[in-house]
Amino acid sequence: PSDSSATMTTDWLANAPKTEDWMLSEVLHFSNTYVQAPGCEAQCARRIQRIVDESTRKLLHHYDTKAGKNDQQSIQQQVEHQVYTHLFQFLWGHIIRTLKDYDRKLHKHILDSSDPSTLARQLMVDDLLATVDCRASAAELKRLDSMISPHEKVECLVRARTFMENQLTEAVRAERARAERRQPGVTPKIKEVTHDDLLFLFMLSICQSQLTNVLPHMFHINMFMSVDGTMKTEPQKQAFMLFQTAITYFRPATTASRQGSLSAPTANFSAMLGAYGSASGKQVDGMPVFIDIDDDL
């Protein structure tokens, strides 16, 4: 949600002061009494969702028939945004402390993979992809460092993906024009944009973004995205999946899979997603396993 979403949330709550007070008191009580432990982030996210669900129910009861179906969805989404915003310091501090060492090592692997041409050869993707201008999408990803709610962050990923698609379309159009000049009268083969193309561009954008706290951002967003009942759109799901899978590629475990298409790392990551929510309590050297991070990362 944009900044206006937060304003709209305040407006909904401003006309229901008892619900607003209840929600804020629940958030404060939760942050003062809940003990966060590595590996229990999924459980923490579910507890947060209970506060969201009950606050939403109270607001809907307050507005009764005044809120249509679209308003009901808007209320829930905005309450989620408000609750996660109030809990930012509580959640972010824990995530940063837990992932600090892993994120530092991940950054090294990202830097080692930052050359576009080398990355394209390793993954055997179209050479054209290495020429795509990713400055806009990289700049958008860098904005994650200034955002405090997972809702803002996942929308940032959606915008970054849009930039990538636009720049790839421009690159394909330019390549087609060059091909027509080389062979006038011959219709060149048009490249179709695939999932692997966008995945490669996400990798390239991450490398160029100078984004800090890569793993913490991913975990923070996942706390919201992985919980049943939260308001998620299909573009958000797709953009987050690409972001996660791109990060997964930079892990040492994928080194053996780098000589070839992206399908192998993607499939491996899809298998990891099946364990989300059920792996709370599982740890690797005290590391929460929302994503199965290797000991040697």
Side-chain angles (χ1 to χ4, degrees):
S2 62
D3 291 341
S4 61
S5 295
T7 302
M8 291 174 65
T9 304
T10 304
D11 291 340
W12 285 114
L13 293 170
N15 293 319
K18 289 184 179 179
T19 299
E20 181 180 28
D21 290 344
W22 182 88
M23 185 194 77
L24 294 177
S25 66
E26 286 295 303
V27 168
L28 181 62
H29 177 74
F30 178 77
S31 61
N32 286 337
T33 61
Y34 188 85
V35 179
Q36 298 189 83
C40 296
E41 287 74 14
Q43 178 183 348
C44 177
R46 289 192 292 270
R47 289 284 299 275
I48 293 172
Q49 190 59 31
R50 291 180 198 171
I51 299 175
V52 170
D53 290 343
E54 185 60 19
S55 299
T56 301
R57 188 191 66 77
K58 287 177 178 292
L59 274 178
L60 291 175
H61 178 74
H62 174 82
Y63 286 105
D64 196 16
T65 57
K66 299 175 184 178
K69 183 176 180 180
N70 290 337
D71 286 336
Q72 292 175 18
Q73 294 175 346
S74 177
I75 287 173
Q76 179 179 341
Q77 186 179 46
Q78 293 162 18
V79 168
E80 288 172 351
H81 182 281
Q82 192 83 337
V83 168
Y84 271 94
T85 297
H86 282 291
L87 287 172
F88 173 70
Q89 294 295 342
F90 174 71
L91 297 174
W92 191 243
H94 166 73
I95 293 172
I96 288 290
R97 287 190 299 272
T98 303
L99 299 177
K100 179 177 62 176
D101 292 339
Y102 293 91
D103 194 55
R104 175 178 53 79
K105 295 173 183 178
L106 176 67
H107 271 283
K108 181 180 183 301
H109 291 293
I110 291 175
L111 290 175
D112 291 343
S113 306
S114 60
D115 179 67
S117 298
T118 302
L119 198 58
R121 285 196 302 272
Q122 289 175 338
L123 296 171
M124 297 183 183
V125 298
D126 195 309
D127 291 340
L128 175 65
L129 294 176
T131 69
V132 174
D133 185 354
C134 289
R135 286 177 295 181
S137 52
E140 186 64 28
L141 290 181
K142 178 61 179 174
R143 295 185 63 227
L144 289 171
D145 285 336
S146 64
M147 297 177 175
I148 64 174
S149 82
H151 308 72
E152 293 171 313
K153 292 179 181 182
V154 75
E155 278 301 308
C156 179
L157 299 183
V158 172
R159 290 191 296 271
R161 175 182 172 166
T162 299
F163 287 138
M164 295 172 204
E165 290 175 334
N166 292 341
Q167 290 302 321
L168 179 54
T169 299
E170 287 298 318
V172 170
R173 185 181 293 117
E175 178 61 23
R176 179 177 180 176
R178 287 191 293 270
E180 289 175 342
R181 288 195 296 270
R182 288 194 298 267
Q183 293 181 302
V186 178
T187 302
K189 182 179 179 180
I190 301 176
K191 174 179 171 54
E192 295 183 2
V193 177
T194 67
H195 175 273
D196 280 2
D197 294 338
L198 292 175
L199 183 51
F200 175 83
L201 294 181
F202 253 98
M203 294 176 185
L204 206 55
S205 298
I206 290 172
C207 289
Q208 296 177 6
S209 68
Q210 297 183 326
L211 179 65
T212 59
N213 302 316
V214 177
L215 274 180
H217 284 308
M218 190 195 75
F219 271 65
H220 189 213
I221 299 171
N222 188 65
M223 288 189 71
F224 162 70
M225 295 291 288
S226 66
V227 176
D228 291 337
T230 54
M231 298 294 293
K232 303 177 285 284
T233 66
E234 197 58 34
Q236 289 175 339
K237 294 176 185 178
Q238 293 173 0
F240 183 51
M241 174 64 77
L242 286 166
F243 182 62
Q244 286 181 309
T245 311
I247 292 171
T248 303
Y249 169 82
F250 294 115
R251 296 168 57 231
T254 63
T255 302
S257 304
R258 292 184 181 185
Q259 299 299 331
S261 76
L262 295 178
S263 57
T266 304
N268 290 340
F269 191 79
S270 297
M272 293 176 197
L273 291 181
Y276 279 19
S278 63
S280 62
K282 181 182 178 184
Q283 300 178 22
V284 177
D285 289 347
M287 169 75 184
V289 185
F290 267 119
I291 175 175
D292 187 14
I293 294 181
D294 298 323
D295 293 335
D296 59 350
L297 178 64

